[in-house]
Amino acid sequence: MITKEATPAAPAPARVAPEPPRPAKHRRSWDEVPRWQIYLPLSVYLLFTLIPFYWILLFALRPAGSTSLVPWPVTFDHFEKVWTERDFGTYFGNSVLVGVATLVMTTVVALAGGYALARFDFKIKRGFMLALLCSQFVPGALLLVPLFEIFANIQMINSLGSVIIAETVFQLPLSMILISNFIKNVPYSLEEAAWVDGCNRMRAFRVVVLPLLRPGLIAVGSFAFVHSWNHFLFALMFLNNPDKQTIPVGLNTLMSADSVDLGALAAGGIIAAVPVVIVFAFIQKWLITGFSAGAVKG
Amino acid sequence: MAQAAAVAKPPAPPRRRRASATPRRLPYLLIAPAALLMLGFIAYPVISVFYYGLQNYNPTKPWRNGYAGFDNFVRIFTDDPQFWDTLVFSAKWVLVEVGLQLLLGLALALIVNQTFVGRALGRALVFSPWAVSGVLTSAIWVLLYNSQTGITRYLADMGIGDYGTSWLSDTTTVFPAAIVADLWRGVPFFAILILADLQSVSKDLYEAAEVDGASRLKQFWHITLPHLKDAIVLSTLLRAVWEFNNVDLLYTLTGGGPAGETTTLPLYIANTSVDAHDFGYASALTTVAFVVLLFCSMVYLRLSKFGGESK
């Protein structure tokens, strides 16, 4: 092997070589980057990214009090404890309910609004678009007091409904803008062709447009789910009843205890991460397309 | 409606008739749910914040409640050093976070945009902290910064830093410690957005530049960066607003401490309304925060000439 690579130094074969690999020139403009310039910074950054993940796994899996840097022997005591004693089982159920309900409401409402924005010209359209954009600057955190009062007035404090509504409302504007961009990318003529074939608007939308929106809807729906799953402040403010709380609030309770049970905290954190990891593993391939289709270029 | 259409253009092909037969109310019906939700739960609260800002309103001191004029605002600007402290800290926090996140995110996006063995895995791992919540980020970094069993202890074993103090409870280390924790989660956002935008740069441009003998640095400066400009402006703005408003991480990681060292304006507002129940004053602070945010965004968009070339 080695000798073979060493010998072509002989001029004859080298002279022949440069002629045929013309297409290699195209590739070279991308391949030119020396490998170490890719792998070195990437590895350094991955250390920064992965050590924290390893750290929480370590704490969750090794026995309490251990200072070993390898989680061995593995124990699941922390998970059991946090799931039953610290009520993470209940929190998990609540979080799933909030996440799924937010996902469904956001997607359905944004789909209807997004369709109107993409396909119709109507009087208040410009104003409505402007309102959507402006609402991006309205921080949910700063509206806690009036929102609390509203939910108190309609008797929804301590009901998961309040969190679902609040999460949906703050997800809506961006979701609607994204979805209307996705719909704009579907040629109107496709829909019109379906009308000619005798479909009404609703059916044409369902049969022709909806299947093409799948990647976009999956992206928007997953964002809605993950955001509401992760979001903390609304649940903290609107849900006082322990059996109504969500996972992030549970984590905060664990953290703000006088002496933090690190093992339980780590196990709780992993429980909080699992659904998100699953969702993202599932949507990974749609993520970039979904983004480039609508998010940035508008 | 249908009748009018039929009278107006009887010989029109069925396609036209169907399109014009769409009730004029349809778009309004379609946006109604979204519009109602946003009116009720964004517009109304915003207006009531403006309104309460002009009131003395404290549920625990009802005898003082009533119209206050601009008293709250006068107090903010003349008699509240904490407002200025938290405003300055907010600015510092946003600038450092967004600046570092953009630089690192851009570098990462350029790297994982190359072709190399293990790219898919590399991308997935680089992006992974993006999905992690603020509270979970806090939990992870509380474990890392813990003085007995955290990374800091092992660093101290190696002679870096000292034992016994958590970086989160020391006023000199809390800022970088919190910055690093938030970077960990924030960088992937930029990496993802910029990577998405990089995919749409025409390869012909690079080839042409190559033919002209432009170095890779030059190609980056003259092709890549101008292409990314709009995406960068938009994502930095969105991120800045988000970093300004987001309280999850600091609330749970440092609680604004030690000694108020890491209290942002929104965190100060939350404390004023939740702990002190001074809703009127908190509302006035919120109004000021809105105005500051809106003003900064406008200036930023103007300075960066957003969308200038494309329109």
Side-chain angles (χ1 to χ4, degrees):
Chain A
M1 254 342 234
I2 293 166
T3 45
K4 228 182 180 191
E5 271 183 35
T7 38
R15 273 274 140 238
V16 191
E19 262 303 281
R22 267 250 125 168
K25 183 119 209 209
H26 291 254
R27 228 181 314 125
R28 208 202 291 163
S29 65
W30 291 94
D31 271 43
E32 201 181 30
V33 184
R35 297 294 91 180
W36 69 268
Q37 284 188 15
I38 292 174
Y39 288 115
L40 184 71
L42 193 63
S43 313
V44 171
Y45 191 80
L46 281 180
L47 276 181
F48 172 57
T49 298
L50 297 180
I51 285 177
F53 282 129
Y54 179 73
W55 209 251
I56 191 172
L57 266 176
L58 180 67
F59 273 74
L61 292 176
R62 73 185 185 187
S66 160
T67 54
S68 150
L69 283 177
V70 191
W72 197 262
V74 167
T75 167
F76 290 97
D77 291 354
H78 298 304
F79 287 94
E80 234 181 276
K81 188 171 160 200
V82 96
W83 189 263
T84 52
E85 272 175 51
R86 304 304 190 105
D87 289 331
F88 265 58
T90 317
Y91 300 159
F92 193 87
N94 291 339
S95 277
V96 167
L97 197 68
V98 169
V100 171
T102 306
L103 183 159
V104 172
M105 268 179 67
T106 306
T107 318
V108 170
V109 176
L111 193 59
Y115 185 81
L117 290 175
R119 291 297 196 236
F120 295 102
D121 264 318
F122 52 101
K123 254 189 210 152
I124 58 165
K125 183 169 160 178
R126 276 185 66 93
F128 188 64
M129 280 296 277
L130 196 67
L132 290 183
L133 288 175
C134 286
S135 68
Q136 288 302 297
F137 292 94
V138 178
L142 300 187
L143 296 183
L144 281 177
V145 172
L147 281 174
F148 186 90
E149 296 210 316
I150 292 172
F151 287 123
N153 280 335
I154 55 177
Q155 314 269 312
M156 279 182 84
I157 292 299
N158 269 333
S159 130
L160 291 178
S162 62
V163 179
I164 294 169
I165 291 178
E167 299 292 353
T168 303
V169 163
F170 285 93
Q171 290 296 313
L172 262 183
L174 194 61
S175 306
M176 208 164 359
I177 294 172
L178 287 180
I179 289 183
S180 88
N181 282 338
F182 295 141
I183 294 178
K184 275 182 202 151
N185 288 341
V186 178
Y188 204 15
S189 53
L190 283 183
E191 263 180 273
E192 290 176 321
W195 302 343
V196 173
D197 291 344
C199 290
N200 59 25
R201 215 176 237 281
M202 185 63 201
R203 198 173 141 74
F205 176 76
R206 235 183 44 223
V207 178
V208 178
V209 184
L210 210 52
L212 293 174
L213 291 181
R214 224 176 70 156
L217 289 184
I218 287 175
V220 166
S222 328
F223 293 150
F225 177 84
V226 169
H227 272 276
S228 64
W229 177 273
N230 284 343
H231 200 218
F232 158 68
L233 219 51
F234 291 149
L236 180 76
M237 286 296 290
F238 304 151
L239 307 171
N240 303 319
N241 210 329
D243 61 84
K244 284 285 168 54
Q245 268 157 10
T246 58
I247 292 260
V249 181
L251 274 183
N252 180 51
T253 313
L254 287 181
M255 252 186 294
S256 49
D258 284 337
S259 64
V260 183
D261 180 345
L262 297 175
L265 178 61
I270 288 173
I271 293 173
V274 165
V276 175
V277 170
I278 293 174
V279 168
F280 274 89
F282 171 66
I283 65 156
Q284 180 109 97
K285 63 178 171 194
W286 282 296
L287 201 62
I288 302 288
T289 20
F291 256 131
S292 46
V296 184
K297 290 270 96 181
Chain B
M1 187 66 209
Q3 218 178 5
V7 173
K9 28 184 143 160
R15 197 159 80 119
R16 286 293 310 143
R17 185 147 40 85
R18 270 199 175 274
S20 61
T22 306
R24 218 178 311 146
R25 273 168 302 154
L26 184 59
Y28 294 101
L29 281 177
L30 287 174
I31 63 164
L36 288 178
L37 278 172
M38 286 171 58
L39 276 178
F41 296 96
I42 297 182
Y44 173 72
V46 167
I47 292 167
S48 70
V49 160
F50 292 153
Y51 170 77
Y52 284 137
L54 300 171
Q55 305 279 323
N56 284 320
Y57 180 41
N58 186 337
T60 59
K61 295 177 190 158
W63 59 91
R64 284 193 55 228
N65 290 354
Y67 182 71
F70 288 95
D71 287 0
N72 287 327
F73 293 94
V74 172
R75 188 174 135 205
I76 288 174
F77 289 110
T78 59
D79 195 25
D80 187 358
Q82 227 187 326
F83 164 75
W84 296 106
D85 288 350
T86 56
L87 187 64
V88 168
F89 178 74
S90 286
K92 195 166 119 186
W93 174 261
V94 169
L95 286 177
V96 173
E97 271 301 336
V98 175
L100 290 177
Q101 285 177 21
L102 173 65
L103 284 181
L104 287 170
L106 178 63
L108 277 176
L110 289 171
I111 290 172
V112 297
N113 194 36
Q114 304 290 334
T115 346
F116 59 92
V117 179
R119 181 169 80 166
L121 182 68
R123 282 186 183 179
L125 292 178
V126 162
F127 296 161
S128 53
W130 182 52
V132 173
S133 70
V135 184
L136 179 51
T137 305
S138 292
I140 289 175
W141 288 87
V142 160
L143 294 175
L144 280 163
Y145 289 142
N146 179 282
S147 57
Q148 275 107 48
T149 48
I151 282 281
T152 42
R153 181 214 138 120
Y154 295 93
L155 286 178
D157 281 346
M158 292 186 285
I160 305 167
D162 46 26
Y163 297 95
T165 47
S166 165
W167 290 357
L168 293 172
S169 53
D170 187 325
T171 46
T172 54
T173 48
V174 67
F175 182 68
I179 285 285
V180 168
D182 199 37
L183 270 187
W184 178 77
R185 176 179 58 142
V187 169
F189 169 86
F190 280 100
I192 292 171
L193 279 180
I194 292 173
L195 178 65
D197 205 39
L198 276 176
Q199 324 250 294
S200 62
V201 189
S202 157
K203 291 200 171 98
D204 297 349
L205 284 176
Y206 292 111
E207 273 163 28
E210 190 106 329
V211 171
D212 292 347
S215 67
R216 271 204 292 134
L217 193 68
K218 275 217 160 103
Q219 291 178 26
F220 171 74
W221 198 252
H222 293 288
I223 302 173
T224 315
L225 216 50
H227 179 89
L228 292 177
K229 193 190 144 204
D230 273 3
I232 288 178
V233 170
L234 196 63
S235 52
T236 44
L237 180 64
L238 283 176
R239 198 57 177 183
V241 173
W242 188 89
E243 285 290 351
F244 180 84
N245 289 330
N246 193 281
V247 297
D248 285 15
L249 182 108
L250 286 174
Y251 184 95
T252 49
L253 190 66
T254 68
E261 196 74 14
T262 56
T263 306
T264 60
L265 182 54
L267 209 48
Y268 174 47
I269 295 173
N271 289 337
T272 311
S273 51
V274 177
D275 299 340
H277 292 287
D278 198 344
F279 288 179
Y281 192 62
S283 298
L285 282 169
T286 307
T287 309
V288 174
F290 275 149
V291 173
V292 168
L293 206 54
L294 210 61
F295 178 75
C296 291
S297 310
M298 295 292 184
V299 169
Y300 182 67
L301 283 180
R302 183 56 59 86
L303 285 180
S304 62
K305 300 196 180 68
F306 177 62
E309 288 111 283
S310 56
K311 269 169 198 164

